[in-house]
Amino acid sequence: MDAWTGHDVPTLPGDAAPPALFDSARRTIAPTTPGGIATMYVCGITPYDATHLGHAATMITFDLVQRAWRDAGLDVRYVQNVTDIDDPLLERAARDGEDWIVLAMRETALFREDMEALRIIPPAHYVGAVESIPAIAAHVRELVADGAAYPLDDGTGDVYFSVAAAPRFGYESHLSRDEMRKLSAERGGDPERPGKRDPLDPLLWRGAREGEPAWDGGDLGPGRPGWHIECATIALGLLGTTIDVQGGGNDLLYPHHECSAAHAERLTGAAPFAAHYVHAGMIGLDGEKMSKSKGNLVFVSRLRGDGVDPMAIRLGLMADHYRSDRQWTDDVLKAGQLRLSRWREAAAAPSGPSGEGLLASVREALHRDLDTPAALALVDAWAEAALSGAGDDPAAPALMAATVDALLGVRL
């Protein structure tokens, strides 16, 4: 599957260190310490609807990680998946009387357009679940042979992973069993299903059902993959046994990231699966949680269609820290638009205060767990000083624009 078109990223002067990030498993901020290649896997969309601001905020977060790594001189191998076969996609297609393949292709194409407009650096590998099914089925068969997975005895052909085969299960999310059970029921799991060895056991392979697409699973029989094993398989195949960052929204911490890590660790015998588990906060609308069930999703494409500059959207989503659950309001958008206008005006000034000083300060802010509120405030202060006539460095406006472009992804 092809990703979106990238763009040139300015090379900045001086040296930078890789960022420190909050790791959900250790519950602390710790330096990222990649080797020669920094590896990152970020869970992508299930393409049954357009890109909303929650998707955009998450993708911006890990775009900032990639930009900081690149600024530190690291090569980055970034992988993102597309869950182009899953229950929500089939349910939406059935509701609308549409072919699920056509729906997935259309919404994936729109997602690419939104990512390009937001100037998200594309992943090195953009991989669909469907194209990965042979490798996923092979991993499920391996887990069954290892005694870490089992088929149900009800004739469905469904296969589950045994959490008893993952003695560290829960180390990432730090949730109690009661909390896990509740979230599993809310987030696509089936803790009450009869025949499972443990209510928390996640689905690895769904046996074929009438009217649903299915693929050859070899000894598993026809069916389609579960969600968590999809990401474990894609990451292991393209990034290796241990990755630097596994990322996504904080609603993926459990069960998705906990289970995908358990699958990967059982398959490889190495732990942890990721050096950092990094999670972005949720975006609400006017004081309410933004969700498809509430019908209050704000779509990037709709804002773009209304003439909103994608750079103003990006600035609005970076105005608060990435780990915070935060609200999108008209005032947030207006502040992003005003900020963008002032920055562009300052970038066109004949001179300004030290560009090197601004660059160093912005680097330092982003190094501290992507502190975008501090970084944006630093650029605000520089812009106001330049527009008031302070500073006499004629090269400073160009360096300010390059800093904002390379590190924050905002083109002035």
Side-chain angles (χ1 to χ4, degrees):
M1 185 177 291
D2 294 329
W4 51 95
T5 302
H7 55 273
D8 291 334
V9 178
T11 300
L12 299 173
D15 298 321
L21 300 171
F22 184 86
D23 172 36
S24 297
R26 287 174 285 176
R27 295 192 282 193
T28 190
I29 296 171
T32 58
T33 55
I37 297 177
T39 55
M40 178 165 65
Y41 183 91
V42 175
C43 298
I45 60 167
T46 301
Y48 61 86
D49 212 336
T51 314
H52 57 70
L53 290 180
H55 295 138
T58 296
M59 297 308 160
I60 288 170
T61 295
F62 297 101
D63 185 58
L64 294 171
V65 174
Q66 181 167 197
R67 289 173 183 276
W69 275 342
R70 287 172 176 259
D71 185 46
L74 294 165
D75 291 331
V76 180
R77 186 173 298 154
Y78 168 31
V79 175
Q80 186 180 137
N81 75 308
V82 182
T83 303
D84 52 358
I85 179 63
D86 202 6
D87 289 344
L89 178 64
L90 298 177
E91 290 164 3
R92 178 61 59 88
R95 187 200 73 177
D96 296 344
E98 186 172 10
D99 188 309
W100 66 273
I101 298 175
V102 174
L103 173 61
M105 291 177 64
R106 183 181 69 246
E107 297 303 340
T108 301
L110 183 55
F111 177 78
R112 291 188 188 100
E113 292 175 11
D114 289 337
M115 294 300 99
E116 188 171 340
L118 290 169
R119 300 188 82 245
I120 306 294
I121 298 173
H125 302 279
Y126 192 53
V127 186
V130 170
E131 66 189 280
S132 307
I133 286 176
I136 295 170
H139 274 160
V140 176
R141 292 193 298 269
E142 184 178 341
L143 289 168
V144 171
D146 184 39
Y150 59 96
L152 289 192
D153 294 329
D154 58 4
T156 59
D158 294 354
V159 178
Y160 282 82
F161 179 80
S162 174
V163 296
R168 300 176 74 239
F169 192 78
Y171 78 89
E172 184 183 337
S173 59
H174 300 282
L175 297 172
S176 69
R177 281 187 59 88
D178 285 345
E179 290 169 325
M180 289 181 185
R181 190 165 180 158
K182 179 175 183 292
L183 287 176
S184 176
E186 293 174 357
R187 296 174 178 176
D190 54 2
E192 305 306 321
R193 182 170 183 180
K196 292 170 60 174
R197 295 176 183 174
D198 188 307
L200 301 180
D201 289 350
L203 181 70
L204 289 170
W205 185 258
R206 176 177 168 86
R209 305 295 203 272
E210 185 177 353
E212 293 185 3
W215 289 263
D216 180 15
D219 293 343
L220 302 171
R224 56 185 171 92
W227 180 27
H228 317 307
I229 189 63
E230 167 197 343
C231 288
T233 295
I234 294 171
L236 290 175
L238 291 169
L239 298 176
T241 300
T242 303
I243 62 178
D244 291 304
V245 167
Q246 182 183 36
N250 61 21
D251 58 336
L252 300 185
L253 175 58
Y254 188 87
H256 184 50
H257 285 176
E258 189 78 67
C259 291
S260 62
H263 298 340
E265 290 166 5
R266 180 69 187 201
L267 285 163
T268 65
F273 170 53
H276 278 73
Y277 298 99
V278 181
H279 297 96
M282 297 290 100
I283 306 299
L285 176 66
D286 296 324
E288 286 195 326
K289 179 182 178 181
M290 194 183 295
S291 69
K292 63 179 182 294
S293 62
K294 291 180 177 291
N296 65 347
L297 296 175
V298 177
F299 297 111
V300 174
S301 55
R302 192 165 299 165
L303 289 172
R304 293 197 294 118
D306 290 340
V308 176
D309 192 315
M311 297 299 92
I313 300 172
R314 185 165 178 131
L315 284 170
L317 291 172
M318 292 191 296
D320 290 301
H321 193 266
Y322 81 90
R323 283 196 282 121
S324 64
D325 291 336
R326 53 207 190 272
Q327 297 295 313
W328 181 266
T329 65
D330 286 342
D331 287 343
V332 170
L333 176 57
K334 289 174 183 176
Q337 291 170 320
L338 177 61
R339 175 171 270 144
L340 181 63
S341 176
R342 293 295 282 174
W343 286 13
R344 284 178 170 163
E345 187 180 355
S351 63
S354 169
E356 289 83 358
L358 175 66
L359 170 57
S361 297
V362 171
R363 275 175 169 156
E364 182 181 354
L366 294 177
H367 183 272
R368 300 190 306 267
D369 194 29
L370 308 180
D371 188 352
T372 54
L376 268 56
L378 288 164
V379 181
D380 286 343
W382 186 97
E384 294 307 316
L387 291 172
S388 70
D392 57 1
D393 180 359
L399 182 53
M400 170 268 201
T403 297
V404 166
D405 189 341
L407 299 182
L408 297 175
V410 176
R411 184 168 185 174
L412 302 180

